[in-house]
Amino acid sequence: MNDLPTAARLPELAGALPAPAAQRQRRISLRATGVLAILALIALATVMVASAFLFRGAVQSHLMDLEAAHGRYEGLLEQRQEALRAGADRARVEAVDLQLRSAFEERLALLNATRHYIDGSTVTIATLAWIGITSIGALAVLFFARLAGDINTVRARALAILTGDRSAGRPLARSDELRELGDAVDSLAAALSKREQALAVERRHVMHQEKLATIGSMAAGVIREIGNPIAAIDGYARALLEAQKASPAPAPQPDDESSGVRPILQETARLIAITREINRLAAAPAAQWQLASLNEVVTQGLALLRYEPRLENVKVHTELDPMLPALNCCADRLVQLLLNLVINAADATSGLPAHTARVEINTRAAEGGIELRVDDNGCGLSPEVQQHAFEPLFTTKPAGKGTGLGLPLCRAIAEEHGGRISLQALPQGGTRAAVWLPLDHQPAQ
């Protein structure tokens, strides 16, 4: 049994997935968000410290003005006392009292202004601190609440994958590392889905191989049982022919078409040839990689299809390039590829009138390798069918007529040999399946 052809393709499957968010330009990352939060705290602390220094400077300025006013008031008070001790006239004392009253009112005004400034600045600084701390706290709560919700979403998506859900999840409405994680989880689900589909194809292929091996073993046993009576009939017919030759009575000549013995010998010879061919085809094929001729692969595949009912009314025409070089391949796998392509072509021509269905097989050198083409004049391919033709389990055949695994298996075999396969609609109607294979491909270990 060959290694799984899709095992070496898993990195390719992963590489074929949509690019994760890491390849898209991010607006802001979680690390940058943390840095911005720290910078916001530093900015708030800086504003608070600057406000405190400004408040301290303004208060000191007010206190200095208040001290100066108090000094003037004390000086005028001393002048009044000296004027009273010196027995100054009433007019001078009243002038000093007037200046003293003015200095007192100035000091009182400065004191009230300082009190109001201190009260207003305290309220402003407290309000600013409250707004800043509340805003940062609210933003932090919203940020971590959203972060926790998105983490729970990614966790639920991962648990859904563990339970077998392979559908794409809802993209996260963010552009940071968590979005990358969510995209990576979705990419993992897509890769697992493709891998499971490939394993389903290979599993059915293995079951088909085992079924064919069982049928081949049964056919070989039946052929052995049939061979004995055929040999006996052939022996009796030959003995009868010899008796006719030795009989003196007039008898039909051995080469006479009216002889009843000659048709028996012809049909037994045909039966013996058929049983030998079935025995050869039922033998287990070699699965190792070796140099082989693609033309021989085509010949062997057509021999297997000789008794296929779906090809009964289909004319198969071959045009094989005799100058093709040998290629390193697993001939059994290429025979499977050819069988699937020819049977698909025959199914595509099933709606045509009798004896008008045609399948053409040709081989030629192309692009440093070998190309195998299988053309038919059937119903053709629509763009939608051509787009989904190689998807596992996709089929346009009626229920019970197709499994949707033939073309995916063909693609797996072609890629296993380092080649490729494509489908295209022919201008005159019908479909062409083209398989390109390199000459020197080495199998994956």
Side-chain angles (χ1 to χ4, degrees), residues 286-294 297 326-334 417 437-439 441 443:
Q288 68 272 14
W289 285 68
Q290 57 188 359
L291 290 176
S293 170
L294 185 60
V297 169
L327 73 158
N328 188 32
C329 66
C330 177
D332 177 42
R333 300 284 283 173
L334 294 184
H417 286 76
L437 299 171
L439 295 176
H441 178 70

Tab-separated table of all heavy atoms in Angstrom, residues 286-294 297 326-334 417 437-439 441 443:
chain	number	residue	atom	x	y	z
A	286	ALA	N	2.248	-4.221	-8.938
A	286	ALA	CA	3.417	-3.716	-8.211
A	286	ALA	C	3.160	-2.270	-7.808
A	286	ALA	O	2.665	-1.469	-8.589
A	286	ALA	CB	4.661	-3.801	-9.095
A	287	ALA	N	3.465	-1.964	-6.565
A	287	ALA	CA	3.208	-0.619	-6.050
A	287	ALA	C	4.478	0.200	-5.916
A	287	ALA	O	4.418	1.330	-5.477
A	287	ALA	CB	2.509	-0.710	-4.693
A	288	GLN	N	5.646	-0.344	-6.259
A	288	GLN	CA	6.872	0.398	-6.088
A	288	GLN	C	7.070	1.376	-7.245
A	288	GLN	O	6.526	1.203	-8.325
A	288	GLN	CB	8.083	-0.551	-5.989
A	288	GLN	CG	8.417	-1.297	-7.271
A	288	GLN	CD	7.650	-2.598	-7.405
A	288	GLN	OE1	6.679	-2.810	-6.672
A	288	GLN	NE2	8.052	-3.443	-8.323
A	289	TRP	N	7.862	2.389	-6.989
A	289	TRP	CA	8.182	3.391	-8.007
A	289	TRP	C	9.264	2.834	-8.913
A	289	TRP	O	10.259	2.271	-8.450
A	289	TRP	CB	8.643	4.685	-7.351
A	289	TRP	CG	7.519	5.459	-6.743
A	289	TRP	CD1	6.774	5.108	-5.670
A	289	TRP	CD2	7.020	6.714	-7.182
A	289	TRP	NE1	5.829	6.058	-5.401
A	289	TRP	CE2	5.960	7.072	-6.314
A	289	TRP	CE3	7.365	7.587	-8.213
A	289	TRP	CZ2	5.251	8.241	-6.449
A	289	TRP	CZ3	6.651	8.759	-8.348
A	289	TRP	CH2	5.601	9.097	-7.482
A	290	GLN	N	9.072	3.016	-10.185
A	290	GLN	CA	10.039	2.510	-11.153
A	290	GLN	C	9.839	3.255	-12.462
A	290	GLN	O	8.844	3.947	-12.663
A	290	GLN	CB	9.839	1.006	-11.361
A	290	GLN	CG	8.432	0.640	-11.816
A	290	GLN	CD	8.192	-0.843	-11.836
A	290	GLN	OE1	9.079	-1.616	-11.535
A	290	GLN	NE2	6.985	-1.253	-12.197
A	291	LEU	N	10.807	3.092	-13.379
A	291	LEU	CA	10.672	3.677	-14.698
A	291	LEU	C	9.631	2.890	-15.484
A	291	LEU	O	9.676	1.657	-15.539
A	291	LEU	CB	12.011	3.664	-15.433
A	291	LEU	CG	13.085	4.622	-14.895
A	291	LEU	CD1	14.382	4.440	-15.650
A	291	LEU	CD2	12.615	6.070	-15.011
A	292	ALA	N	8.685	3.605	-16.060
A	292	ALA	CA	7.614	2.950	-16.802
A	292	ALA	C	7.215	3.828	-17.974
A	292	ALA	O	7.487	5.037	-18.004
A	292	ALA	CB	6.406	2.683	-15.903
A	293	SER	N	6.586	3.207	-18.946
A	293	SER	CA	6.103	3.912	-20.129
A	293	SER	C	4.658	4.322	-19.918
A	293	SER	O	3.820	3.500	-19.527
A	293	SER	CB	6.230	3.022	-21.367
A	293	SER	OG	5.549	3.600	-22.470
A	294	LEU	N	4.364	5.593	-20.164
A	294	LEU	CA	2.993	6.059	-20.029
A	294	LEU	C	2.089	5.381	-21.046
A	294	LEU	O	0.910	5.130	-20.771
A	294	LEU	CB	2.943	7.584	-20.182
A	294	LEU	CG	1.583	8.244	-19.955
A	294	LEU	CD1	1.073	7.964	-18.559
A	294	LEU	CD2	1.664	9.739	-20.211
A	297	VAL	N	1.005	2.200	-19.607
A	297	VAL	CA	-0.011	2.455	-18.577
A	297	VAL	C	-1.381	2.619	-19.232
A	297	VAL	O	-2.392	2.072	-18.758
A	297	VAL	CB	0.363	3.706	-17.757
A	297	VAL	CG1	-0.801	4.144	-16.871
A	297	VAL	CG2	1.586	3.430	-16.897
A	326	ALA	N	10.614	7.198	-20.811
A	326	ALA	CA	10.059	6.604	-19.591
A	326	ALA	C	10.078	7.634	-18.472
A	326	ALA	O	10.912	8.553	-18.449
A	326	ALA	CB	10.853	5.366	-19.201
A	327	LEU	N	9.155	7.498	-17.537
A	327	LEU	CA	9.123	8.399	-16.390
A	327	LEU	C	9.106	7.593	-15.105
A	327	LEU	O	8.639	6.442	-15.082
A	327	LEU	CB	7.901	9.321	-16.441
A	327	LEU	CG	6.512	8.742	-16.133
A	327	LEU	CD1	5.590	9.882	-15.722
A	327	LEU	CD2	5.941	8.014	-17.331
A	328	ASN	N	9.639	8.211	-14.042
A	328	ASN	CA	9.670	7.565	-12.739
A	328	ASN	C	8.293	7.706	-12.101
A	328	ASN	O	7.832	8.818	-11.808
A	328	ASN	CB	10.738	8.215	-11.851
A	328	ASN	CG	10.941	7.459	-10.561
A	328	ASN	OD1	10.787	6.240	-10.531
A	328	ASN	ND2	11.268	8.162	-9.502
A	329	CYS	N	7.598	6.591	-11.879
A	329	CYS	CA	6.213	6.661	-11.427
A	329	CYS	C	5.829	5.369	-10.731
A	329	CYS	O	6.573	4.384	-10.728
A	329	CYS	CB	5.277	6.907	-12.612
A	329	CYS	SG	5.230	5.532	-13.778
A	330	CYS	N	4.654	5.397	-10.140
A	330	CYS	CA	3.986	4.197	-9.635
A	330	CYS	C	2.902	3.867	-10.652
A	330	CYS	O	1.868	4.537	-10.720
A	330	CYS	CB	3.398	4.435	-8.243
A	330	CYS	SG	2.498	3.018	-7.595
A	331	ALA	N	3.163	2.866	-11.480
A	331	ALA	CA	2.280	2.568	-12.606
A	331	ALA	C	0.864	2.264	-12.150
A	331	ALA	O	-0.108	2.642	-12.813
A	331	ALA	CB	2.854	1.406	-13.411
A	332	ASP	N	0.715	1.586	-11.016
A	332	ASP	CA	-0.622	1.234	-10.535
A	332	ASP	C	-1.438	2.486	-10.248
A	332	ASP	O	-2.624	2.560	-10.569
A	332	ASP	CB	-0.495	0.370	-9.280
A	332	ASP	CG	-1.852	0.017	-8.685
A	332	ASP	OD1	-2.761	-0.307	-9.468
A	332	ASP	OD2	-1.993	0.071	-7.455
A	333	ARG	N	-0.803	3.499	-9.650
A	333	ARG	CA	-1.523	4.736	-9.344
A	333	ARG	C	-1.924	5.458	-10.630
A	333	ARG	O	-3.028	6.011	-10.717
A	333	ARG	CB	-0.649	5.641	-8.481
A	333	ARG	CG	-0.224	5.045	-7.154
A	333	ARG	CD	-1.334	5.061	-6.152
A	333	ARG	NE	-1.523	6.382	-5.577
A	333	ARG	CZ	-2.527	6.701	-4.774
A	333	ARG	NH1	-3.444	5.791	-4.484
A	333	ARG	NH2	-2.635	7.907	-4.275
A	334	LEU	N	-1.057	5.474	-11.627
A	334	LEU	CA	-1.396	6.121	-12.888
A	334	LEU	C	-2.511	5.370	-13.619
A	334	LEU	O	-3.328	5.984	-14.308
A	334	LEU	CB	-0.158	6.234	-13.775
A	334	LEU	CG	0.944	7.166	-13.260
A	334	LEU	CD1	2.066	7.266	-14.275
A	334	LEU	CD2	0.386	8.554	-12.950
A	417	HIS	N	2.881	12.577	-7.987
A	417	HIS	CA	3.935	12.389	-8.994
A	417	HIS	C	4.578	13.714	-9.397
A	417	HIS	O	5.324	13.768	-10.382
A	417	HIS	CB	3.354	11.696	-10.225
A	417	HIS	CG	3.066	10.238	-10.026
A	417	HIS	ND1	1.972	9.784	-9.320
A	417	HIS	CD2	3.748	9.122	-10.409
A	417	HIS	CE1	1.967	8.466	-9.297
A	417	HIS	NE2	3.031	8.034	-9.940
A	437	LEU	N	2.926	15.373	-16.229
A	437	LEU	CA	3.781	14.653	-15.284
A	437	LEU	C	5.232	14.926	-15.615
A	437	LEU	O	5.627	14.864	-16.792
A	437	LEU	CB	3.517	13.143	-15.357
A	437	LEU	CG	2.088	12.671	-15.024
A	437	LEU	CD1	1.944	11.194	-15.368
A	437	LEU	CD2	1.761	12.939	-13.577
A	438	PRO	N	6.061	15.244	-14.604
A	438	PRO	CA	7.501	15.416	-14.872
A	438	PRO	C	8.187	14.066	-15.037
A	438	PRO	O	7.676	13.031	-14.612
A	438	PRO	CB	7.986	16.138	-13.612
A	438	PRO	CG	7.055	15.669	-12.536
A	438	PRO	CD	5.725	15.479	-13.196
A	439	LEU	N	9.355	14.092	-15.663
A	439	LEU	CA	10.053	12.840	-15.958
A	439	LEU	C	10.880	12.334	-14.771
A	439	LEU	O	11.022	11.136	-14.576
A	439	LEU	CB	10.976	13.031	-17.163
A	439	LEU	CG	10.284	13.345	-18.496
A	439	LEU	CD1	11.318	13.606	-19.584
A	439	LEU	CD2	9.364	12.209	-18.897
A	441	HIS	N	10.642	13.023	-11.325
A	441	HIS	CA	10.133	13.280	-9.962
A	441	HIS	C	10.518	12.154	-9.033
A	441	HIS	O	10.443	10.978	-9.388
A	441	HIS	CB	8.610	13.420	-10.001
A	441	HIS	CG	8.007	13.628	-8.655
A	441	HIS	ND1	8.172	14.792	-7.940
A	441	HIS	CD2	7.251	12.800	-7.885
A	441	HIS	CE1	7.525	14.679	-6.795
A	441	HIS	NE2	6.965	13.487	-6.724
A	443	PRO	N	9.744	10.251	-5.440
A	443	PRO	CA	8.610	10.139	-4.497
A	443	PRO	C	8.991	10.615	-3.116
A	443	PRO	O	10.141	10.528	-2.682
A	443	PRO	CB	8.323	8.628	-4.494
A	443	PRO	CG	9.614	7.989	-4.884
A	443	PRO	CD	10.275	8.940	-5.846
